[in-house]
Amino acid sequence: MALSRRKFLKLVGGSGAGAAILAACRPAVKEFLAQSPVRMPEDLVTGVDNWYASVCHECGAGCGVIARVVEGRAKKIEGNPKHPLNAGKLCVRGQGSVQAVYHPDRIRRPLKAVGARGSGEFREISWDEALDTLLGQLRELKGVAAPDGDRNKVVLVTEPISGHLGMVVSRFANAFGAVQASYEPMDVTVLNAAMEKVFGANLVPDFDLTNSRYLLSFSADFLMGWISQVRHSRGYGELRQGEGSARGTFVHVDTRFSATAANADDWIIVKPGMEGKLALSIAYVIIRADLADGQAAEALFGPAPLVSALEGFRPELVAEATGVSPQKIEEIALEFAKQRGIAIGGGTAGAQTNGLFNLTAIFALNQLVGNVGKPGGVILNPASPFASDPTFKDGASFDRYSVTPLEGWRDITQSMQAGEVSVLLVRNANPLHGLPSALGFREGLGLVPFIASFSSFLDDTTAMADLVLPTHLPLEDWGDKSPNPGPGFQAIGFQQPVVRPFHETRGFGDLLLTLSQELEMEQELPWTSFREVLREGAQKLRQLNRGNVSGISFEAYWNNLLQLGGWWDEGARADGDISVQRLDLGDAEPTFLGSEDEFPFHLVPFASVSLTDGRGAHLPWMQATPDPITTAAWETWVELNSMDAKELDLREGDMLRLQSETGWSIEAALYPNPAMPRGVLAIPLGQGHKAYGRYAEGRGANPFNVLGLLSDKETGALAWGATRVKMTKTDRRIRLPKYEGVVIPIDFDNNVKITRG
């Protein structure tokens, strides 16, 4: 090869060349010439601004974005009006992503640890030294097996990745002989399993809220971030407008009073882990009232008499267990069936030891009323156009990313503690912050001889690394992604670098290709650059001769593809035929860590609207975004029923210590909330970082620390909603930062009224 990949990496490291302007019909040559050096003075303005299409990576949804670029700097991010998932809309996290590019604590160039591990003492080194250091570790271990025969000498941990980058990562791990793990704190393992079990689907279906007249949600906080906040908020807005038809009804079942619950006609308080029982009780009433799709009912519950299989879920039998009255169950069931509504489930419903049972029962309600594949119902997504592409092999999938469940992390942790892991490679994942402390991951990490991180910020896990190789951020790099949920037809978003890299960083895909060449793995990874990988994929899309993109030559096609922000074909839809599977009505009971006597409060963690599970904590815009219910920001708080607080002589701002049966504890400020069910504590995730920059470090508490090691019985995913805690008052008190002022909400009747209409 005339030009080595390492030399090529140097050439492309500081260039964003290749971007195509959104509105142009030819390559944006003027922009290439006008694009400024990285350090151009801020006051040098010529008035030239351009908008470039790309893909948002602040969550797994994959919304299309357009970035406003002035003099080589990204100034503003908005939704791409042409993208089928979000149609020009964007959430607060997507809007804040531009802050990461110019963050003062961003890693500027490779770092090598010079102090004790975790001390935060690093020195800057060249890319050549960084690559030589890493290759020196990897060459000795290529293909070497652990004592038990498993390939766990090297472990590669990334955030959930799909698309062509996921393919490159999978090929690299398999060719090297490394264990590949995908980390997400509130992982979607249970949800993915439920989609496969109920709908036979890879992607989350498109829930057609726009044309629905009745929505029944079980703990899915979809207005605040569940799966796709933007997609679902747009559909919900149409459902509630009622233009040209009756205003739709929304019923939300949840243990916590969330912003989604606040927007419902009816908020139904359910006991934790009992969502599946409630769903099956609703199914019982629907079948008994002869309002069910007969074929689906028989497939789900067996031959007639169908209700006999559900006798144990009669409303009067589950009322006490669920906390929902028989009358209310009857009311919901009949209205849901008559309106042929949509049922969705997520959040704490899937975060229990019976999580898959709960979600399977909930989503099966859609089959029971026959709304699958119909307007106003559940629209399934077709397979990706790359589904049969031999490039995606060894389990790699273009459109669906897998997440390593708790049981997988238990195995990795045990291997580290046994001294079987010699090198740990981490990219944009922070398991040290998001795995329960009781797992012992921190202790295992300390026994790994060499840790290398491919991250742009010194988060908790990266701060423990021996070597840091900072990578481009999404606005500086190439990529692609299938929207999740899909829009009901084939769609792929394409990500292009809209600005030149602000620091001496490199693309992760290009780094893996460079390493593969020097490790003599080019046969498995034959591409010169990751851009070449994407262009090869675009060639295959062009050969389909369909979709929204066209061009008289491939170069014209490529530029049009980038200008539009992706490829989609509204005519490529699923056939709607699915094989309805029999529901397993066996073990429906959840298990909780801690006895009710010793640990009287059920802990309900929830993802922050801005910080989510903690990945946004380094951005000041996200820290300052107030919670919609409490208006609190910059802190961790505990929501407790106002009457419980009064009986315990607690006031807002009192610092409380929460301890679980694991022995781990955290401290957070009290927020009395009259809408919280009694005996339940709700706490936002996202804070409690020991590193991650000046805006996140040492702020608030990390609820993951106190979670137990219970998992879903079928998938092994972390049951992060199954921990009970005890609460004690400390001698400290703070003024909770919030926008509602000092007035404390009071419910004089201790009964939050629910209004309808």
Side-chain angles (χ1 to χ4, degrees), residues 570-591:
E570 296 189 29
R573 297 177 178 268
D575 57 21
D577 294 331
I578 58 173
S579 177
V580 181
Q581 298 184 33
R582 181 78 173 265
L583 284 187
D584 181 5
L585 305 181
D587 189 3
E589 298 298 326
T591 302

Side-chain angles (χ1 to χ4, degrees), residues 114 217 276 357 562 625 723:
V114 295
S217 169
F357 168 84
L562 298 181
T625 300
T723 300

Side-chain angles (χ1 to χ4, degrees), residues 703-722:
F704 285 113
N705 285 343
V706 299
L707 297 185
L709 299 181
L710 297 182
S711 59
D712 173 66
K713 299 170 186 176
E714 298 185 62
T715 66
L718 175 65
W720 49 263

Side-chain angles (χ1 to χ4, degrees), residues 210 364 513:
T210 297
L513 293 175

Side-chain angles (χ1 to χ4, degrees), residues 7 45 83 140 436 464 505 555 575 587 599 603 653 710:
K7 290 181 179 179
V45 179
H83 198 280
E140 298 179 4
M464 296 286 288
T505 56
E555 291 304 324
D575 57 21
D587 189 3
F599 300 93
L603 187 66
L710 297 182

